[in-house]
Amino acid sequence: MIRVVIAEDQQMLRGAFASLLKFEPDIEVLAEVPDGIQAWEAIQRHQPDVCVLDIEIPFINGLELAEQIRNAGLPCKIMIVTTFARPGYLQKATEAQVNGYLLKDEPIEYLIESIRRVMAGERVISTDLAAALLMKEVNPLSEREAEMLRLTKTGMTTSDISKALFLTKGTVRNYLSSAIQKLEADSRQQAVNIADEKGWL
């Protein structure tokens, strides 16, 4: 029996996926949760064989959760499901040593079969995602520049970032200016949008 935990914030999708999996004689759904915090609690409590994680779940996203699972030395297989074929996301998933990375618009049969394949020791990646990885762009941002854009994305101003990181406003502006240049953007907001779209934040 393959024991599964599902983390997906869209209730209808989560419920449909869990219901379909319950029809499979060799798969048992231990928990279905809407966010990363509950997913982490369920994974620690149930010790599943496979956890199916949406990237865009609240509080702790699927990729951060994958890293937590690996860092904690938990043996469960990790499958990421996403709406987005973003090379940056796939790169992060690869670094987190996930076992499966699938697009949500795959047929449910493919998803179910992928759970079995992952459990058997295979690595499964949707064809469109594999193509995206081959075509991936190199992230030109330094970690500090990416951090500035991440904080800008949350609505923080130059002054806010300066206080939070104990940097001068000039230093913050320099990092943001450098990021804008590297991404060939017209503004910091456009730089945030470009970097976010590519999965670099």
Side-chain angles (χ1 to χ4, degrees):
M1 186 66 75
I2 303 171
R3 301 158 66 254
V4 177
V5 165
I6 301 167
E8 162 63 60
D9 63 332
Q10 295 179 41
Q11 187 174 355
M12 189 180 292
L13 189 58
R14 184 175 72 249
F17 186 36
S19 297
L20 289 165
L21 282 182
K22 286 171 185 174
F23 284 120
E24 301 301 313
D26 58 337
I27 296 175
E28 178 187 3
V29 178
L30 302 173
E32 41 182 295
V33 297
D35 63 61
I37 292 173
Q38 290 184 56
W40 179 235
E41 289 169 354
I43 289 162
Q44 291 180 98
R45 183 167 65 251
H46 295 292
Q47 299 285 310
D49 299 309
V50 178
C51 49
V52 180
L53 312 173
D54 178 23
I55 286 184
E56 304 285 320
I57 48 176
F59 307 126
I60 308 171
N61 72 36
L63 291 171
E64 291 166 343
L65 200 50
E67 287 180 13
Q68 270 189 222
I69 291 165
R70 290 291 178 245
N71 291 339
L74 299 175
C76 67
K77 308 285 188 183
I78 302 169
M79 291 182 65
I80 295 286
V81 292
T82 182
T83 312
F84 310 104
R86 293 178 180 169
Y89 277 173
L90 184 51
Q91 185 64 32
K92 287 177 186 171
T94 303
E95 288 164 6
Q97 299 176 317
V98 305
N99 307 93
Y101 195 95
L102 308 180
L103 286 171
K104 285 183 185 177
D105 59 4
E106 295 282 10
I108 188 66
E109 294 80 13
Y110 182 79
L111 202 49
I112 292 168
E113 190 54 39
S114 294
I115 289 174
R116 295 188 179 111
R117 288 172 61 191
V118 159
M119 196 60 204
E122 291 184 50
R123 199 163 187 215
V124 183
I125 298 177
S126 288
T127 306
D128 288 353
L129 287 166
L133 181 60
L134 291 173
M135 295 166 61
K136 77 174 189 293
E137 296 176 69
V138 175
N139 180 359
L141 300 172
S142 70
E143 183 49 48
R144 205 55 150 164
E145 289 161 353
E147 183 180 24
M148 299 297 155
L149 292 180
R150 276 194 294 272
L151 294 174
T152 300
K153 183 184 172 186
T154 68
M156 291 176 73
T157 63
T158 300
S159 183
D160 295 333
I161 296 170
S162 168
K163 288 172 188 168
L165 299 181
F166 304 103
L167 298 171
T168 66
K169 291 179 187 177
T171 300
V172 172
R173 285 195 202 96
N174 286 341
Y175 279 125
L176 285 167
S177 175
S178 175
I180 289 166
Q181 259 186 320
K182 286 181 179 179
L183 297 174
E184 299 179 359
D186 297 324
S187 66
R188 65 176 65 179
Q189 189 53 56
Q190 189 182 24
V192 167
N193 294 341
I194 291 169
D196 197 32
E197 178 62 34
K198 293 180 184 295
W200 292 337
L201 295 187

